[in-house]
Every structure is written in C-alpha cells, then in structure tokens.
C-alpha cells in the first residue's frame, strides 16, 4: 500500500509539473526567439543607416571596417550592396564582392524600400535569423544591408531554460517523493500492525496489539476498537475453555458415582429387573461419552493451529496396526490398498483422529467375516470402505449433523463422531463425503491437499487425545448415525 500511495502522489506531482513547466518552457522559447528577432531587426536598421551615410558620402572603403567590427562583436554575418544589388562589402573575409544579389527575394524587396525579417538557412545549412533593410534617405535608395544571426545561441539559451525547468521539476519530485513516502508510512504503519495483530488473532492468541498511537485518527480509533474486540474475544474463549475443563472434571465424578451406585443395586434386585439395570448403566455410559465428545469438539473449535505436512501412508499403516487386534476380536479384517499417496496438509494429530473415528464407525457395523478397506486413490484421496448395512441417501445427507442418529443405529452412539471428523477435515483444508460402497456398506472418502499445494492458512483445529487410540468394544465413541 505504501508503494501505491507513493506512486499516486508522484503521478499527481508529475501532472501538475507538466501542466506548469511545459507551457512555461514553450512561452520562454517563443519569447527568446522573438527577442532575438527584434534585436536583429533593430541592429540591421541601425547598420543600414550607417552604411547608407557612408555610401552617400563616398566612403565605401570604410564599410568593411564597420560591418566587420559588428560581426566580430555579435557573431552575425553582414552583407552590404549598392542600389543595383552589387555587393560592396561582406563581413566574411572569404566572401566575394562585386557580385550581384539583386535576384534574391529579400534584396529585391529592400531595393524597393521594403524590409524583410525572416528565419531561413544560410549557405552552410544552419538555421539563421535574417533581416534585410534598405539603405535609404526618404524614397532615395542608396543600397541594402542583410544581417543574418545564427539560431544556435538562441537554441542554447532555450535548451538551458528547459534544463533548468527539468532540474527544478526533478527537485520538486524528489521533495514530493520524500514527503509522500513519509506520509504513506505514517498512514500504513497502523495498518501493518493491524494486519500482524489479525494474523496473531487467527492463530489463537493476540500477543502484540496493533499500534494505536500513530497514524491518522481514524486508524488509531480502528486499532483501539480492534484491540478491545480481540481482548473481549480472548476473554470469552478462555472462559469457554475454562468451562469445558471444569465441566469435564465436575461431570466425570457424578457420572462415575451414578454408574457405581446402579451397579451396586444388582445383588438386591429381582433378576427380572437386571435387563433394565443394564440399560440404565448403558445410558449412563453413553451420557459420559457424549460429554467427552462435546468437550472434545469444544477443544477443537477453540484451538487454532496451522496445517502441516503429514505422511498419509505412514499414518494409515500405524492406525491399521493399532486397530487390527480389536478388529480380530470381532472377526473383521483390515486391509490397505492403492498406491502410496505421499504427504498431505493436515493439522497436527487430525489425520490420526479422522482415521480412528471412521474405522471405529466401520467396525461397529461390520459383520464377522467381512473386511474394512483403507484404499488410497490418486490425488491424495483416502477411502475407508466397510461391508456393513450402509446408509440411505437421506441418512448420508444428515450424517454430519450433531447429535443426529439414524433410526436403525445402536443405542451407544452419541451422534458426535462424524461432526468431529468433518471439523478436523475442514480445518486441514480438505473435504469428506459419504458414498455407497460396491455391494453393501459405506465408502467414506477423504480428500486432502497434497504438500505440493499451499495450505489454506490457519484454521481452527485441535487434538482429542482420547480419540487417537482404539477404544474398547464397550467405549467406542464415534458411533455411526
């Protein structure tokens, strides 16, 4: 922004200088040429009177001295003719005398008592000012005088003034550039600090508030308002995190106590009430898992982090090795297929949680003797395919809604597993969709960004430590809808 402001100021200054200096230089050039023309005309008229007197008095021999002295002083070229147009004297020593110039237009006009002042070229091809005057007393013509003055000196003076104007314009532009740069830095400094503070806030913690002491008043007020808003947001986030931590601690104890109390009733109840007691204990366990899921989701949403390169093949192999013992207990096989996928962008710990939750979901609905396949497709796409009952199109549309569970799902699901998975995938810059698997079952497709593509910047994300290792058959938290 500093560069754009500087360029705009300089462009405006150039336009103003061009509008002032170009007309000024043009007017000066015309005035200088006009002054030179008037001077040549005046000198030619004066010399014509002197030479006319010398011709009238018969002092033709003095003409070379008169015109030679003038030519030496001024650098002009003077030619004097008689009334027939014959050259009597020439300030150029190499020039010939006695030749007739009567046929030349300016001499012919002067012989008719008509002066001529014009711009022409001499015998050397130089531009000159030419003034041809009659040497006359009244109507009696005794001769003519031609004075030519080179325009080189006039052009030199014109070029000198153009150079002076250019130098003055350069000095003005330098002063404008310095003032504009100072002003632009003064204006943009609060914006730079505000940008840095915004990036820090996006990372989750504002450590350096924007500068509210410099810059225009509007930007100072904006920086102050941003700092107040960011401080308020951080306070709210800390309060929410503190609540989640305290709620986790406070809820675990009464839920555990309630479960123990219910289990202690078992010896004193009629055997016919045991099924109801087991259902009550199961609901208490489900409530505990739901609390854990909500707290995990809150931690994910309140923690900001940046996607990092993660090896998809390594993580997939590690998670399958962790889940194979539990899958074997249920007579379900795990298999990895497809070519290596390489590295992808993901927030730290997210890929492990995504795979764990999806495998837990698939394992809960996979019949004995079936296989859960982790298929790597080109384009850093991972498919987790089971051979369970699958889901209808309507259920797949709502599967990522919080607390939603399909009517045919098991009662121990919380409806939070897939929302956590979607949140982790989104914060890693990827996408997740559900599709019917060939035959029966469900195909969960995860599309992540390869490391050859740039990450999409800081995103909210985090790590639920309880979701990164296989759970017992009774405490799997990521239930299918």
């Amino acid at each position: 922004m500093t560069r754009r402001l500087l360029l705009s100021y300089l462009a405006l200054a150039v336009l103003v200088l061009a509008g002032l200096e170009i007309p000024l230089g043009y007017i000066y050039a015309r005035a200088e040429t006009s002054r030179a023309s008037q001077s040549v005309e005046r000198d030619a008229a004066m010399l014509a009177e002197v030479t006319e007197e010398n011709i009238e008095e018969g002092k033709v021999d003095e003409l070379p001295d008169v015109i030679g002295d003038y030519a030496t002083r001024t650098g002009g070229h003077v030619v004097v003719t008689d009334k027939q147009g014959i050259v009597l004297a020439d300030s150029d020593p190499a020039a010939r005398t006695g030749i007739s110039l009567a046929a030349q237009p300016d001499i012919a006009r002067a012989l008719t008592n008509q002066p001529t002042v014009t711009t022409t070229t001499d015998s050397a091809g130089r531009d000159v000012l030419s003034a041809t005057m009659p040497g006359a007393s009244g109507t009696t013509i005794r001769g003519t005088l031609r004075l030519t003055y080179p325009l080189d000196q006039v052009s030199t003076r014109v070029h000198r003034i153009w150079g002076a104007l250019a130098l003055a314009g350069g000095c003005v532009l330098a002063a404008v550039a310095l003032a504009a740069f100072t002003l632009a830095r003064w204006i943009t400094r609060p914006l730079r600090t505000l940008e840095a503070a915004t990036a820090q806030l996006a990372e989750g913690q504002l450590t350096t508030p924007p500068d509210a002491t410099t810059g225009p008043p509007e930007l100072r007020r904006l920086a102050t308002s941003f700092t107040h808003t960011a401080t308020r947001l951080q306070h709210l986030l800390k309060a929410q995190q503190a609540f989640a931590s305290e709620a986790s601690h406070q809820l675990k104890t009464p839920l555990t106590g309630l479960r123990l109390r219910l289990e202690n009733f078992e010896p004193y109840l009629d055997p016919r009430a045991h099924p109801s007691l087991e259902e009550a204990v199961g609901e208490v366990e489900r409530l505990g898992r739901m609390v854990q899921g909500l707290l995990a989701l809150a931690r994910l949403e309140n923690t900001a982090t940046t996607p990092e390169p993660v090896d998809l093949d390594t993580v997939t192999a590690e998670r399958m090795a962790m889940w194979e013992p539990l899958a074997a207990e249920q007579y379900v096989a795990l298999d990895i297929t497809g070519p290596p996928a390489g590295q992808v962008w993901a927030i730290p710990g997210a890929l492990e949680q995504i795979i764990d939750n999806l495998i837990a979901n698939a394992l809960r609905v996979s019949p004995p003797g079936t296989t859960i396949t982790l298929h790597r497709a080109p384009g850093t796409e991972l498919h987790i395919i089971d051979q369970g009952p699958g889901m209808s199109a309507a259920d797949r549309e709502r599967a990522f809604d919080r607390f939603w569970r399909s009517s045919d799902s098991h009662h121990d699901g919380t409806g939070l597993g897939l929302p956590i998975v979607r949140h982790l995938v989104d914060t890693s810059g990827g996408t997740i969709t559900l599709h019917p698997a060939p035959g029966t079952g469900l195909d969960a497709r995860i599309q992540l960004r390869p490391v050859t593509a740039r990450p999409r910047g800081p995103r909210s994300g985090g790590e639920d430590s309880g979701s990164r290792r296989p759970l017992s058959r009774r405490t799997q938290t990521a239930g299918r809808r």
Side-chain angles (χ1 to χ4, degrees):
M1 184 175 181
T2 301
R3 184 174 65 252
R4 290 194 294 270
L5 287 174
L6 181 60
L7 291 178
S8 64
Y9 292 146
L10 288 178
L12 181 60
V14 168
L15 290 176
V16 173
L17 289 174
L20 293 176
E21 291 193 350
I22 291 178
L24 180 61
Y26 180 72
I27 292 172
Y28 176 83
R30 291 189 59 182
E32 191 65 25
T33 303
S34 177
R35 282 196 298 270
S37 178
Q38 293 173 3
S39 177
V40 168
E41 183 179 4
R42 182 178 62 253
D43 291 351
M46 179 189 67
L47 286 174
E49 291 180 3
V50 173
T51 56
E52 187 269 334
E53 291 178 0
N54 288 338
I55 294 173
E56 183 182 6
E57 295 174 0
K59 299 177 181 180
V60 177
D61 295 338
E62 297 181 5
L63 292 177
D65 295 334
V66 174
I67 63 175
D69 180 65
Y70 176 84
T72 301
R73 288 186 294 103
T74 63
H77 179 215
V78 183
V79 177
V80 180
T81 70
D82 61 11
K83 62 182 179 180
Q84 283 80 31
I86 304 300
V87 177
L88 298 177
D90 195 319
S91 63
D92 185 0
R96 294 171 55 193
T97 59
I99 61 175
S100 175
L101 301 180
Q104 295 186 4
D106 58 332
I107 298 295
R109 286 174 59 84
L111 292 175
T112 60
N113 204 15
Q114 297 182 30
T116 302
V117 180
T118 185
T119 302
T120 183
T121 57
D122 60 7
S123 58
R126 298 179 303 172
D127 291 334
V128 295
L129 282 172
S130 176
T132 305
M133 298 294 174
S137 297
T139 58
T140 302
I141 306 298
R142 293 187 175 86
T144 64
L145 181 139
R146 175 196 287 165
L147 172 59
T148 57
Y149 186 82
L151 285 174
D152 295 345
Q153 298 184 19
V154 178
S155 299
T156 300
R157 290 195 295 270
V158 171
H159 292 160
R160 188 180 298 117
I161 192 61
W162 276 114
L165 290 175
L167 179 61
C171 293
V172 171
L173 284 179
V176 170
L178 180 60
F181 180 76
T182 304
L183 181 62
R185 294 281 295 181
W186 178 69
I187 292 175
T188 58
R189 176 178 173 79
L191 293 178
R192 292 193 300 271
T193 60
L194 186 62
E195 180 184 11
T198 303
Q200 291 179 2
L201 186 61
E203 293 285 352
Q205 183 69 29
L206 180 61
T207 58
T208 306
D211 187 5
T213 61
T214 61
E218 296 81 2
L219 292 180
R220 293 201 297 268
R221 290 194 295 269
L222 177 61
T224 302
S225 177
F226 176 85
T227 302
H228 177 72
T229 302
T231 303
R232 178 63 176 167
L233 287 175
Q234 287 183 304
H235 175 73
L236 292 175
L237 288 176
K238 289 179 179 179
Q240 184 176 358
Q241 292 171 356
F243 169 77
S245 177
E246 293 173 1
S248 175
H249 176 72
Q250 296 297 329
L251 289 175
K252 284 180 181 178
T253 302
L255 288 175
T256 303
L258 178 59
R259 176 185 171 184
L260 292 175
R261 288 179 180 275
L262 290 175
E263 290 178 346
N264 289 336
F265 285 151
E266 185 174 5
Y268 306 103
L269 294 178
D270 187 281
R272 291 175 297 180
H274 287 177
S276 298
L277 178 62
E278 291 181 358
E279 290 182 2
V281 172
E283 289 297 325
V284 171
E285 291 179 350
R286 179 171 175 269
L287 180 59
R289 292 194 299 273
M290 184 176 294
V291 170
Q292 292 294 330
L294 286 173
L295 295 177
L297 197 57
R299 286 195 294 270
L300 289 176
E301 293 175 345
N302 292 336
T303 303
T305 187
T306 303
E308 298 177 355
V310 178
D311 191 282
L312 178 61
D313 305 308
T314 301
V315 174
T316 303
E318 290 176 352
R319 304 326 298 166
M320 189 187 77
M322 293 293 294
W323 280 93
E324 276 183 333
L326 184 59
E329 293 180 9
Q330 300 181 210
Y331 304 101
V332 176
L334 296 179
D335 187 25
I336 297 179
T337 61
Q343 290 190 324
V344 296
W345 290 107
I347 61 175
L351 190 55
E352 292 89 340
Q353 295 182 68
I354 292 169
I355 295 176
D356 284 346
N357 278 281
L358 292 177
I359 291 180
N361 275 352
L363 193 58
R364 292 179 63 255
V365 297
S366 295
T370 59
T371 300
I372 298 175
T373 303
L374 282 70
H375 176 68
R376 297 168 300 195
T380 60
E381 188 173 88
L382 178 64
H383 298 242
I384 298 181
I385 306 170
D386 63 57
Q387 295 177 313
M391 299 175 67
S392 65
D395 287 349
R396 292 196 302 271
E397 288 292 330
R398 298 193 58 189
F400 294 105
D401 296 342
R402 296 184 183 183
F403 303 109
W404 183 86
R405 299 171 63 247
S406 62
S407 57
D408 59 349
S409 64
H410 297 283
H411 290 290
D412 57 350
T414 63
L416 290 174
L418 287 180
I420 291 176
V421 169
R422 182 179 62 177
H423 183 79
L424 292 171
V425 173
D426 289 343
T427 54
S428 298
T431 58
I432 180 171
T433 53
L434 300 178
H435 302 270
T440 61
L442 193 67
D443 178 5
R445 299 180 186 178
I446 308 162
Q447 178 70 57
L448 297 172
R449 294 168 58 84
V451 292
T452 53
R454 297 184 61 183
R456 296 180 181 175
R459 293 175 177 269
S460 299
E463 183 175 341
D464 180 9
S465 59
S467 301
R468 294 191 56 182
R469 55 182 180 271
L471 306 175
S472 67
R473 188 174 301 153
R474 192 172 182 178
T475 58
Q476 294 173 7
T477 61
R480 189 185 298 272
R481 291 345 190 218

